[in-house]
Amino acid sequence: MHRVIISGIGVEIPEPTITNEELVASFNAWVDMENARRQGTDEPPLAKSDSDFIVHASGVRTRHVIEREGILDPTRMAPRIPARPDDAPSLEAEFGIASARKALDHAGLEPSQIDLIICSASHHQRPYPAIAIEMQEALGTRGAGFDMGLGCSSAAAALHMAVNLVRSGAHKRILVTTPEIITGHLNFRDRQTHFIFGDASVSMVVEGLAQGDKRPGRFEVLDTRIWTQMSNNIRTNLGYHTRTAQEDPYMINLEGNLIKQVGNKVFKEVTVAGQKFIVEFLAEHGLTPQAVRRFWLHQANARMNAMILKLSFGHEVDHDRAPMVLERLGNTAGAGAIVALSENHADMKPGDFGLICAFGAGYSIGGALLRML
């Protein structure tokens, strides 16, 4: 069984941003138009949103997006992403490649040294050809590629797969990429979810550690875990059978099929499950939370992360121990914990432990115990 390291990390954040104030102005303009339409009908009036509510509910103040003008147009409220011909790079592959090249550079590797690509994200642009295969062709990697997903635990789940494939000797070097274009699947007319997500792409190179190779500044992956439990509290029903439920299958109605969640239940249930997962996973290695230098948690909700850590430690934990990027990036689904890792590890010392832990729809939780080389 081989020792395994994360030898390269790459992050790509799109340049356009949307502040809470801009998002609220667009949402409230639409609410005014919709409530005017509802006058004289049995439909109840809609409540407006505000920035204070968003910060309290999530901790998010701004988010980066692939395209902002369509989102902020109250007559559209969705990004404008033109269709591309089949012989042009797909947007998801292009986004994944951007972070992948940075991860390869960080690892000091050429694409030809990679023998598997796993593209794991909460939403994929299409079912086939796999986005990973398109990336393989564009980058010039060897071997194979496949797509997978596990909601907001997608990057952690792919890391679990990659680490164990390398550890077993099935593959030598694997590129894990998580290009999250969540805004394309978000209902910006839903007051409970329209403010949560942003777009980001992350990639990691996973490879074996040769005997005598110190690789300072890199992380050895000591162990990984995934856990799932069925829940409808975070759900999307948009899929390949959506059209078959429509009166006219060639005119798709998206109402009710985009992302929805029962926020209060998710908060309570995932907080309990996340704390239990962390404590038990660490205990298997004779560790307590106090022994871990840094936690890179899923960037979904600031209050949820604070509560998970408080339950785990028995006291509140600061940004140095568990850094957050949520405030400026929003919830970037599977990418968030890896963005936090990328931005917050350079000060760690050899031998320091770190824990990646992501949680999301499913429910699902993915974790990786790391040690700085």
Side-chain angles (χ1 to χ4, degrees), residues 281-313:
F281 184 29
L282 293 177
E284 291 180 23
H285 295 273
L287 299 173
T288 65
Q290 287 77 6
V292 177
R293 174 66 185 88
R294 188 151 288 150
F295 291 79
W296 304 286
L297 301 185
H298 175 44
Q299 303 291 303
N301 186 290
R303 291 189 300 125
M304 179 188 291
N305 283 10
M307 182 61 71
I308 288 172
L309 292 164
K310 185 175 181 179
L311 291 171
S312 299
F313 279 82

PDB file of all heavy atoms in Angstrom, residues 281-313:
ATOM      1  N   PHE A 281     -14.117  10.297  13.342  1.00  0.00           N
ATOM      2  CA  PHE A 281     -13.055  10.087  12.354  1.00  0.00           C
ATOM      3  C   PHE A 281     -11.690  10.326  12.989  1.00  0.00           C
ATOM      4  O   PHE A 281     -10.752   9.531  12.837  1.00  0.00           O
ATOM      5  CB  PHE A 281     -13.295  11.017  11.166  1.00  0.00           C
ATOM      6  CG  PHE A 281     -12.325  10.857  10.023  1.00  0.00           C
ATOM      7  CD1 PHE A 281     -11.704   9.654   9.742  1.00  0.00           C
ATOM      8  CD2 PHE A 281     -12.036  11.937   9.197  1.00  0.00           C
ATOM      9  CE1 PHE A 281     -10.829   9.511   8.667  1.00  0.00           C
ATOM     10  CE2 PHE A 281     -11.162  11.816   8.126  1.00  0.00           C
ATOM     11  CZ  PHE A 281     -10.544  10.610   7.863  1.00  0.00           C
ATOM     12  N   LEU A 282     -11.558  11.423  13.715  1.00  0.00           N
ATOM     13  CA  LEU A 282     -10.283  11.715  14.373  1.00  0.00           C
ATOM     14  C   LEU A 282      -9.956  10.678  15.436  1.00  0.00           C
ATOM     15  O   LEU A 282      -8.794  10.261  15.585  1.00  0.00           O
ATOM     16  CB  LEU A 282     -10.323  13.111  14.993  1.00  0.00           C
ATOM     17  CG  LEU A 282     -10.395  14.284  14.011  1.00  0.00           C
ATOM     18  CD1 LEU A 282     -10.513  15.602  14.764  1.00  0.00           C
ATOM     19  CD2 LEU A 282      -9.170  14.313  13.091  1.00  0.00           C
ATOM     20  N   ALA A 283     -10.960  10.231  16.174  1.00  0.00           N
ATOM     21  CA  ALA A 283     -10.737   9.254  17.246  1.00  0.00           C
ATOM     22  C   ALA A 283     -10.177   7.948  16.700  1.00  0.00           C
ATOM     23  O   ALA A 283      -9.396   7.265  17.378  1.00  0.00           O
ATOM     24  CB  ALA A 283     -12.030   9.009  18.011  1.00  0.00           C
ATOM     25  N   GLU A 284     -10.562   7.576  15.479  1.00  0.00           N
ATOM     26  CA  GLU A 284     -10.028   6.367  14.866  1.00  0.00           C
ATOM     27  C   GLU A 284      -8.515   6.429  14.708  1.00  0.00           C
ATOM     28  O   GLU A 284      -7.846   5.392  14.601  1.00  0.00           O
ATOM     29  CB  GLU A 284     -10.678   6.142  13.499  1.00  0.00           C
ATOM     30  CG  GLU A 284     -12.151   5.760  13.567  1.00  0.00           C
ATOM     31  CD  GLU A 284     -12.735   5.558  12.179  1.00  0.00           C
ATOM     32  OE1 GLU A 284     -11.951   5.293  11.241  1.00  0.00           O
ATOM     33  OE2 GLU A 284     -13.962   5.657  12.038  1.00  0.00           O
ATOM     34  N   HIS A 285      -7.968   7.646  14.699  1.00  0.00           N
ATOM     35  CA  HIS A 285      -6.524   7.830  14.554  1.00  0.00           C
ATOM     36  C   HIS A 285      -5.891   8.314  15.852  1.00  0.00           C
ATOM     37  O   HIS A 285      -4.760   8.822  15.844  1.00  0.00           O
ATOM     38  CB  HIS A 285      -6.250   8.815  13.417  1.00  0.00           C
ATOM     39  CG  HIS A 285      -6.682   8.297  12.084  1.00  0.00           C
ATOM     40  ND1 HIS A 285      -5.874   7.521  11.281  1.00  0.00           N
ATOM     41  CD2 HIS A 285      -7.876   8.383  11.434  1.00  0.00           C
ATOM     42  CE1 HIS A 285      -6.533   7.182  10.182  1.00  0.00           C
ATOM     43  NE2 HIS A 285      -7.751   7.689  10.251  1.00  0.00           N
ATOM     44  N   GLY A 286      -6.613   8.153  16.951  1.00  0.00           N
ATOM     45  CA  GLY A 286      -6.085   8.534  18.249  1.00  0.00           C
ATOM     46  C   GLY A 286      -5.950  10.033  18.433  1.00  0.00           C
ATOM     47  O   GLY A 286      -5.123  10.485  19.236  1.00  0.00           O
ATOM     48  N   LEU A 287      -6.750  10.798  17.703  1.00  0.00           N
ATOM     49  CA  LEU A 287      -6.663  12.255  17.746  1.00  0.00           C
ATOM     50  C   LEU A 287      -7.942  12.866  18.302  1.00  0.00           C
ATOM     51  O   LEU A 287      -9.032  12.307  18.147  1.00  0.00           O
ATOM     52  CB  LEU A 287      -6.419  12.823  16.344  1.00  0.00           C
ATOM     53  CG  LEU A 287      -5.128  12.398  15.629  1.00  0.00           C
ATOM     54  CD1 LEU A 287      -5.128  12.911  14.201  1.00  0.00           C
ATOM     55  CD2 LEU A 287      -3.906  12.911  16.377  1.00  0.00           C
ATOM     56  N   THR A 288      -7.813  14.009  18.911  1.00  0.00           N
ATOM     57  CA  THR A 288      -8.946  14.846  19.296  1.00  0.00           C
ATOM     58  C   THR A 288      -8.936  16.082  18.418  1.00  0.00           C
ATOM     59  O   THR A 288      -7.915  16.394  17.775  1.00  0.00           O
ATOM     60  CB  THR A 288      -8.837  15.277  20.769  1.00  0.00           C
ATOM     61  OG1 THR A 288      -7.671  16.119  20.915  1.00  0.00           O
ATOM     62  CG2 THR A 288      -8.736  14.069  21.696  1.00  0.00           C
ATOM     63  N   PRO A 289     -10.025  16.834  18.357  1.00  0.00           N
ATOM     64  CA  PRO A 289     -10.004  18.081  17.576  1.00  0.00           C
ATOM     65  C   PRO A 289      -8.878  19.020  17.991  1.00  0.00           C
ATOM     66  O   PRO A 289      -8.308  19.723  17.147  1.00  0.00           O
ATOM     67  CB  PRO A 289     -11.383  18.685  17.871  1.00  0.00           C
ATOM     68  CG  PRO A 289     -12.261  17.497  18.123  1.00  0.00           C
ATOM     69  CD  PRO A 289     -11.383  16.534  18.860  1.00  0.00           C
ATOM     70  N   GLN A 290      -8.520  19.028  19.274  1.00  0.00           N
ATOM     71  CA  GLN A 290      -7.467  19.911  19.751  1.00  0.00           C
ATOM     72  C   GLN A 290      -6.108  19.591  19.121  1.00  0.00           C
ATOM     73  O   GLN A 290      -5.223  20.463  19.063  1.00  0.00           O
ATOM     74  CB  GLN A 290      -7.355  19.810  21.280  1.00  0.00           C
ATOM     75  CG  GLN A 290      -8.488  20.469  22.042  1.00  0.00           C
ATOM     76  CD  GLN A 290      -9.777  19.646  22.065  1.00  0.00           C
ATOM     77  OE1 GLN A 290      -9.804  18.501  21.589  1.00  0.00           O
ATOM     78  NE2 GLN A 290     -10.841  20.211  22.613  1.00  0.00           N
ATOM     79  N   ALA A 291      -5.934  18.366  18.637  1.00  0.00           N
ATOM     80  CA  ALA A 291      -4.659  17.967  18.044  1.00  0.00           C
ATOM     81  C   ALA A 291      -4.521  18.399  16.587  1.00  0.00           C
ATOM     82  O   ALA A 291      -3.443  18.286  16.002  1.00  0.00           O
ATOM     83  CB  ALA A 291      -4.496  16.446  18.138  1.00  0.00           C
ATOM     84  N   VAL A 292      -5.600  18.895  15.992  1.00  0.00           N
ATOM     85  CA  VAL A 292      -5.604  19.268  14.576  1.00  0.00           C
ATOM     86  C   VAL A 292      -5.334  20.764  14.445  1.00  0.00           C
ATOM     87  O   VAL A 292      -6.047  21.589  15.026  1.00  0.00           O
ATOM     88  CB  VAL A 292      -6.947  18.900  13.920  1.00  0.00           C
ATOM     89  CG1 VAL A 292      -6.980  19.354  12.461  1.00  0.00           C
ATOM     90  CG2 VAL A 292      -7.183  17.397  14.015  1.00  0.00           C
ATOM     91  N   ARG A 293      -4.284  21.081  13.705  1.00  0.00           N
ATOM     92  CA  ARG A 293      -3.888  22.491  13.563  1.00  0.00           C
ATOM     93  C   ARG A 293      -4.923  23.303  12.806  1.00  0.00           C
ATOM     94  O   ARG A 293      -5.183  24.457  13.127  1.00  0.00           O
ATOM     95  CB  ARG A 293      -2.527  22.573  12.842  1.00  0.00           C
ATOM     96  CG  ARG A 293      -2.068  23.980  12.494  1.00  0.00           C
ATOM     97  CD  ARG A 293      -1.786  24.800  13.735  1.00  0.00           C
ATOM     98  NE  ARG A 293      -1.456  26.188  13.414  1.00  0.00           N
ATOM     99  CZ  ARG A 293      -2.347  27.162  13.278  1.00  0.00           C
ATOM    100  NH1 ARG A 293      -3.638  26.899  13.438  1.00  0.00           N
ATOM    101  NH2 ARG A 293      -1.966  28.393  13.003  1.00  0.00           N
ATOM    102  N   ARG A 294      -5.493  22.723  11.750  1.00  0.00           N
ATOM    103  CA  ARG A 294      -6.413  23.528  10.940  1.00  0.00           C
ATOM    104  C   ARG A 294      -7.533  22.666  10.359  1.00  0.00           C
ATOM    105  O   ARG A 294      -7.312  21.519   9.946  1.00  0.00           O
ATOM    106  CB  ARG A 294      -5.647  24.222   9.809  1.00  0.00           C
ATOM    107  CG  ARG A 294      -6.477  25.233   9.038  1.00  0.00           C
ATOM    108  CD  ARG A 294      -5.606  26.328   8.470  1.00  0.00           C
ATOM    109  NE  ARG A 294      -5.117  27.224   9.507  1.00  0.00           N
ATOM    110  CZ  ARG A 294      -3.959  27.874   9.442  1.00  0.00           C
ATOM    111  NH1 ARG A 294      -3.155  27.714   8.405  1.00  0.00           N
ATOM    112  NH2 ARG A 294      -3.600  28.695  10.413  1.00  0.00           N
ATOM    113  N   PHE A 295      -8.720  23.247  10.341  1.00  0.00           N
ATOM    114  CA  PHE A 295      -9.908  22.627   9.766  1.00  0.00           C
ATOM    115  C   PHE A 295     -10.333  23.424   8.543  1.00  0.00           C
ATOM    116  O   PHE A 295     -10.543  24.638   8.632  1.00  0.00           O
ATOM    117  CB  PHE A 295     -11.053  22.617  10.780  1.00  0.00           C
ATOM    118  CG  PHE A 295     -10.851  21.690  11.940  1.00  0.00           C
ATOM    119  CD1 PHE A 295     -10.028  22.053  12.997  1.00  0.00           C
ATOM    120  CD2 PHE A 295     -11.483  20.456  11.991  1.00  0.00           C
ATOM    121  CE1 PHE A 295      -9.836  21.205  14.079  1.00  0.00           C
ATOM    122  CE2 PHE A 295     -11.294  19.604  13.063  1.00  0.00           C
ATOM    123  CZ  PHE A 295     -10.467  19.976  14.105  1.00  0.00           C
ATOM    124  N   TRP A 296     -10.479  22.729   7.411  1.00  0.00           N
ATOM    125  CA  TRP A 296     -10.991  23.352   6.197  1.00  0.00           C
ATOM    126  C   TRP A 296     -12.376  22.753   5.954  1.00  0.00           C
ATOM    127  O   TRP A 296     -12.532  21.687   5.349  1.00  0.00           O
ATOM    128  CB  TRP A 296     -10.063  23.081   5.023  1.00  0.00           C
ATOM    129  CG  TRP A 296      -8.653  23.537   5.302  1.00  0.00           C
ATOM    130  CD1 TRP A 296      -8.185  24.817   5.322  1.00  0.00           C
ATOM    131  CD2 TRP A 296      -7.526  22.699   5.596  1.00  0.00           C
ATOM    132  NE1 TRP A 296      -6.844  24.835   5.611  1.00  0.00           N
ATOM    133  CE2 TRP A 296      -6.412  23.553   5.789  1.00  0.00           C
ATOM    134  CE3 TRP A 296      -7.356  21.319   5.715  1.00  0.00           C
ATOM    135  CZ2 TRP A 296      -5.145  23.059   6.091  1.00  0.00           C
ATOM    136  CZ3 TRP A 296      -6.099  20.832   6.027  1.00  0.00           C
ATOM    137  CH2 TRP A 296      -5.011  21.698   6.207  1.00  0.00           C
ATOM    138  N   LEU A 297     -13.385  23.460   6.442  1.00  0.00           N
ATOM    139  CA  LEU A 297     -14.745  22.942   6.397  1.00  0.00           C
ATOM    140  C   LEU A 297     -15.491  23.459   5.171  1.00  0.00           C
ATOM    141  O   LEU A 297     -15.100  24.459   4.551  1.00  0.00           O
ATOM    142  CB  LEU A 297     -15.504  23.340   7.665  1.00  0.00           C
ATOM    143  CG  LEU A 297     -14.919  22.883   9.008  1.00  0.00           C
ATOM    144  CD1 LEU A 297     -15.861  23.261  10.141  1.00  0.00           C
ATOM    145  CD2 LEU A 297     -14.631  21.387   9.009  1.00  0.00           C
ATOM    146  N   HIS A 298     -16.580  22.787   4.869  1.00  0.00           N
ATOM    147  CA  HIS A 298     -17.465  23.216   3.791  1.00  0.00           C
ATOM    148  C   HIS A 298     -17.920  24.648   4.039  1.00  0.00           C
ATOM    149  O   HIS A 298     -18.316  24.998   5.154  1.00  0.00           O
ATOM    150  CB  HIS A 298     -18.665  22.270   3.726  1.00  0.00           C
ATOM    151  CG  HIS A 298     -19.697  22.676   2.725  1.00  0.00           C
ATOM    152  ND1 HIS A 298     -19.377  23.096   1.457  1.00  0.00           N
ATOM    153  CD2 HIS A 298     -21.058  22.737   2.814  1.00  0.00           C
ATOM    154  CE1 HIS A 298     -20.490  23.376   0.798  1.00  0.00           C
ATOM    155  NE2 HIS A 298     -21.516  23.176   1.603  1.00  0.00           N
ATOM    156  N   GLN A 299     -17.859  25.461   3.002  1.00  0.00           N
ATOM    157  CA  GLN A 299     -18.168  26.887   3.138  1.00  0.00           C
ATOM    158  C   GLN A 299     -19.629  27.145   2.756  1.00  0.00           C
ATOM    159  O   GLN A 299     -19.923  27.718   1.714  1.00  0.00           O
ATOM    160  CB  GLN A 299     -17.214  27.700   2.270  1.00  0.00           C
ATOM    161  CG  GLN A 299     -15.751  27.460   2.581  1.00  0.00           C
ATOM    162  CD  GLN A 299     -15.329  28.010   3.932  1.00  0.00           C
ATOM    163  OE1 GLN A 299     -15.493  29.205   4.199  1.00  0.00           O
ATOM    164  NE2 GLN A 299     -14.795  27.154   4.787  1.00  0.00           N
ATOM    165  N   ALA A 300     -20.541  26.715   3.620  1.00  0.00           N
ATOM    166  CA  ALA A 300     -21.960  26.875   3.330  1.00  0.00           C
ATOM    167  C   ALA A 300     -22.630  27.874   4.238  1.00  0.00           C
ATOM    168  O   ALA A 300     -23.475  28.659   3.800  1.00  0.00           O
ATOM    169  CB  ALA A 300     -22.682  25.530   3.438  1.00  0.00           C
ATOM    170  N   ASN A 301     -22.287  27.840   5.519  1.00  0.00           N
ATOM    171  CA  ASN A 301     -23.001  28.655   6.492  1.00  0.00           C
ATOM    172  C   ASN A 301     -22.070  28.926   7.671  1.00  0.00           C
ATOM    173  O   ASN A 301     -21.596  27.983   8.326  1.00  0.00           O
ATOM    174  CB  ASN A 301     -24.270  27.934   6.948  1.00  0.00           C
ATOM    175  CG  ASN A 301     -25.128  28.784   7.848  1.00  0.00           C
ATOM    176  OD1 ASN A 301     -24.770  29.069   8.988  1.00  0.00           O
ATOM    177  ND2 ASN A 301     -26.281  29.195   7.338  1.00  0.00           N
ATOM    178  N   ALA A 302     -21.806  30.183   7.941  1.00  0.00           N
ATOM    179  CA  ALA A 302     -20.849  30.543   8.990  1.00  0.00           C
ATOM    180  C   ALA A 302     -21.314  30.074  10.358  1.00  0.00           C
ATOM    181  O   ALA A 302     -20.519  29.572  11.167  1.00  0.00           O
ATOM    182  CB  ALA A 302     -20.629  32.057   8.986  1.00  0.00           C
ATOM    183  N   ARG A 303     -22.601  30.211  10.631  1.00  0.00           N
ATOM    184  CA  ARG A 303     -23.116  29.805  11.943  1.00  0.00           C
ATOM    185  C   ARG A 303     -23.053  28.292  12.112  1.00  0.00           C
ATOM    186  O   ARG A 303     -22.778  27.781  13.197  1.00  0.00           O
ATOM    187  CB  ARG A 303     -24.544  30.313  12.127  1.00  0.00           C
ATOM    188  CG  ARG A 303     -24.652  31.827  12.271  1.00  0.00           C
ATOM    189  CD  ARG A 303     -26.057  32.258  12.676  1.00  0.00           C
ATOM    190  NE  ARG A 303     -27.047  31.863  11.694  1.00  0.00           N
ATOM    191  CZ  ARG A 303     -28.137  31.137  11.945  1.00  0.00           C
ATOM    192  NH1 ARG A 303     -28.356  30.678  13.168  1.00  0.00           N
ATOM    193  NH2 ARG A 303     -28.991  30.849  10.988  1.00  0.00           N
ATOM    194  N   MET A 304     -23.312  27.550  11.050  1.00  0.00           N
ATOM    195  CA  MET A 304     -23.247  26.091  11.122  1.00  0.00           C
ATOM    196  C   MET A 304     -21.834  25.629  11.433  1.00  0.00           C
ATOM    197  O   MET A 304     -21.620  24.780  12.315  1.00  0.00           O
ATOM    198  CB  MET A 304     -23.720  25.464   9.806  1.00  0.00           C
ATOM    199  CG  MET A 304     -23.652  23.938   9.804  1.00  0.00           C
ATOM    200  SD  MET A 304     -24.005  23.229   8.175  1.00  0.00           S
ATOM    201  CE  MET A 304     -25.738  23.608   8.023  1.00  0.00           C
ATOM    202  N   ASN A 305     -20.841  26.183  10.723  1.00  0.00           N
ATOM    203  CA  ASN A 305     -19.457  25.797  10.980  1.00  0.00           C
ATOM    204  C   ASN A 305     -19.050  26.131  12.410  1.00  0.00           C
ATOM    205  O   ASN A 305     -18.376  25.338  13.079  1.00  0.00           O
ATOM    206  CB  ASN A 305     -18.526  26.492   9.990  1.00  0.00           C
ATOM    207  CG  ASN A 305     -18.556  25.852   8.616  1.00  0.00           C
ATOM    208  OD1 ASN A 305     -19.403  25.010   8.340  1.00  0.00           O
ATOM    209  ND2 ASN A 305     -17.645  26.258   7.761  1.00  0.00           N
ATOM    210  N   ALA A 306     -19.456  27.314  12.872  1.00  0.00           N
ATOM    211  CA  ALA A 306     -19.115  27.717  14.236  1.00  0.00           C
ATOM    212  C   ALA A 306     -19.710  26.754  15.257  1.00  0.00           C
ATOM    213  O   ALA A 306     -19.062  26.390  16.249  1.00  0.00           O
ATOM    214  CB  ALA A 306     -19.594  29.144  14.495  1.00  0.00           C
ATOM    215  N   MET A 307     -20.937  26.314  15.018  1.00  0.00           N
ATOM    216  CA  MET A 307     -21.600  25.399  15.950  1.00  0.00           C
ATOM    217  C   MET A 307     -20.957  24.015  15.926  1.00  0.00           C
ATOM    218  O   MET A 307     -20.742  23.391  16.980  1.00  0.00           O
ATOM    219  CB  MET A 307     -23.083  25.291  15.611  1.00  0.00           C
ATOM    220  CG  MET A 307     -23.876  24.397  16.567  1.00  0.00           C
ATOM    221  SD  MET A 307     -23.824  24.999  18.273  1.00  0.00           S
ATOM    222  CE  MET A 307     -24.861  26.465  18.118  1.00  0.00           C
ATOM    223  N   ILE A 308     -20.628  23.508  14.733  1.00  0.00           N
ATOM    224  CA  ILE A 308     -19.963  22.203  14.625  1.00  0.00           C
ATOM    225  C   ILE A 308     -18.647  22.211  15.403  1.00  0.00           C
ATOM    226  O   ILE A 308     -18.338  21.279  16.155  1.00  0.00           O
ATOM    227  CB  ILE A 308     -19.719  21.847  13.146  1.00  0.00           C
ATOM    228  CG1 ILE A 308     -21.047  21.488  12.457  1.00  0.00           C
ATOM    229  CG2 ILE A 308     -18.730  20.689  13.011  1.00  0.00           C
ATOM    230  CD1 ILE A 308     -20.931  21.300  10.963  1.00  0.00           C
ATOM    231  N   LEU A 309     -17.887  23.272  15.235  1.00  0.00           N
ATOM    232  CA  LEU A 309     -16.598  23.354  15.912  1.00  0.00           C
ATOM    233  C   LEU A 309     -16.750  23.550  17.416  1.00  0.00           C
ATOM    234  O   LEU A 309     -15.992  22.974  18.208  1.00  0.00           O
ATOM    235  CB  LEU A 309     -15.774  24.488  15.303  1.00  0.00           C
ATOM    236  CG  LEU A 309     -15.314  24.227  13.856  1.00  0.00           C
ATOM    237  CD1 LEU A 309     -14.855  25.505  13.201  1.00  0.00           C
ATOM    238  CD2 LEU A 309     -14.224  23.172  13.817  1.00  0.00           C
ATOM    239  N   LYS A 310     -17.730  24.336  17.820  1.00  0.00           N
ATOM    240  CA  LYS A 310     -17.953  24.543  19.258  1.00  0.00           C
ATOM    241  C   LYS A 310     -18.342  23.237  19.938  1.00  0.00           C
ATOM    242  O   LYS A 310     -17.873  22.916  21.041  1.00  0.00           O
ATOM    243  CB  LYS A 310     -19.027  25.598  19.478  1.00  0.00           C
ATOM    244  CG  LYS A 310     -19.231  25.965  20.940  1.00  0.00           C
ATOM    245  CD  LYS A 310     -20.223  27.101  21.097  1.00  0.00           C
ATOM    246  CE  LYS A 310     -20.388  27.479  22.564  1.00  0.00           C
ATOM    247  NZ  LYS A 310     -21.339  28.618  22.735  1.00  0.00           N
ATOM    248  N   LEU A 311     -19.192  22.444  19.282  1.00  0.00           N
ATOM    249  CA  LEU A 311     -19.570  21.148  19.831  1.00  0.00           C
ATOM    250  C   LEU A 311     -18.378  20.196  19.859  1.00  0.00           C
ATOM    251  O   LEU A 311     -18.246  19.372  20.772  1.00  0.00           O
ATOM    252  CB  LEU A 311     -20.708  20.543  18.999  1.00  0.00           C
ATOM    253  CG  LEU A 311     -22.072  21.235  19.097  1.00  0.00           C
ATOM    254  CD1 LEU A 311     -23.027  20.666  18.053  1.00  0.00           C
ATOM    255  CD2 LEU A 311     -22.659  21.076  20.494  1.00  0.00           C
ATOM    256  N   SER A 312     -17.501  20.294  18.874  1.00  0.00           N
ATOM    257  CA  SER A 312     -16.345  19.395  18.790  1.00  0.00           C
ATOM    258  C   SER A 312     -15.270  19.755  19.814  1.00  0.00           C
ATOM    259  O   SER A 312     -14.661  18.869  20.424  1.00  0.00           O
ATOM    260  CB  SER A 312     -15.744  19.448  17.381  1.00  0.00           C
ATOM    261  OG  SER A 312     -16.683  19.026  16.406  1.00  0.00           O
ATOM    262  N   PHE A 313     -15.020  21.050  20.008  1.00  0.00           N
ATOM    263  CA  PHE A 313     -13.957  21.513  20.891  1.00  0.00           C
ATOM    264  C   PHE A 313     -14.430  21.770  22.319  1.00  0.00           C
ATOM    265  O   PHE A 313     -13.626  21.757  23.248  1.00  0.00           O
ATOM    266  CB  PHE A 313     -13.352  22.816  20.351  1.00  0.00           C
ATOM    267  CG  PHE A 313     -12.332  22.616  19.259  1.00  0.00           C
ATOM    268  CD1 PHE A 313     -12.724  22.410  17.947  1.00  0.00           C
ATOM    269  CD2 PHE A 313     -10.980  22.654  19.538  1.00  0.00           C
ATOM    270  CE1 PHE A 313     -11.794  22.255  16.927  1.00  0.00           C
ATOM    271  CE2 PHE A 313     -10.033  22.492  18.532  1.00  0.00           C
ATOM    272  CZ  PHE A 313     -10.435  22.288  17.223  1.00  0.00           C
TER     273      PHE A 313
END
